[in-house]
Every structure is written in structure tokens, then in C-alpha cells.
Amino acid sequence: AVTGVSASRASDRKSVTVKWKGDSRYSGYEIQLSDTKTFGKITAKKTAVSGKTSSTKVSVSKSAACSYVRVRPYKTSGGEKLYGPYVSAAIK
């Protein structure tokens, strides 16, 4: 699973930087931002395509509405993506 997830808003409030501890066993990571803790409405979504990636920057047009982020790893096997569990964090 993903560990050490943290997120911070840029000073221009137009982007959010999401960081986590990566693992080279995974093919990549899926990042989702939401305005609710239950992630009922996803505001932004991004995929980081490298098992060695340990951080990414997500640009969001309505970043003021984003309060939470979650990250999950995935592996590509037989042409399909196999997902791990989400790890959530509040955006600071």
C-alpha cells in the first residue's frame, strides 16, 4: 500500500502538490481530489505512470473546493490494471 501521503496547496491556489512514499513494485499511482471526505464527487483525477514516482503535482481549476486527496497504487498485469487500496489525506 501507499504510505506517507501528504498534500499542500500552492500559493496561487490553482494547484495542489501531492507527495507519498512510492514503491518500485507498482506500475503507477492514481490520485483523486475531492471537496468531500467521502469522495462522493471527484474534482480532479490524475495518473502518475511510473513505479519510481514518489510525488506529483496536480493542477486543479477549482482548487478552493478541494479539501481531500487520496492515492492508490496499481500494477499492470495481462493488459489490465490491478488496484491497491486508497490512502487519504487532507489538503493543507
Side-chain angles (χ1 to χ4, degrees), residues 16-77:
V16 174
T17 301
V18 182
K19 294 183 180 181
W20 66 91
K21 291 182 183 175
D23 190 332
S24 61
R25 296 178 294 170
Y26 301 115
S27 302
Y29 301 89
E30 182 180 80
I31 301 102
Q32 294 181 348
L33 283 80
S34 178
D35 56 347
T36 63
K37 194 172 186 174
T38 60
F39 287 86
K41 179 182 174 189
I42 304 300
T43 307
K45 184 176 176 180
K46 183 170 181 159
T47 303
V49 187
S50 173
K52 295 180 182 178
T53 301
S54 62
S55 68
T56 190
K57 186 174 183 178
V58 180
S59 295
V60 182
S61 61
K62 296 181 180 178
S63 65
C66 297
S67 299
Y68 301 94
V69 63
R70 65 183 181 180
V71 180
R72 70 177 174 176
Y74 70 85
K75 261 184 142 171
T76 304
S77 177

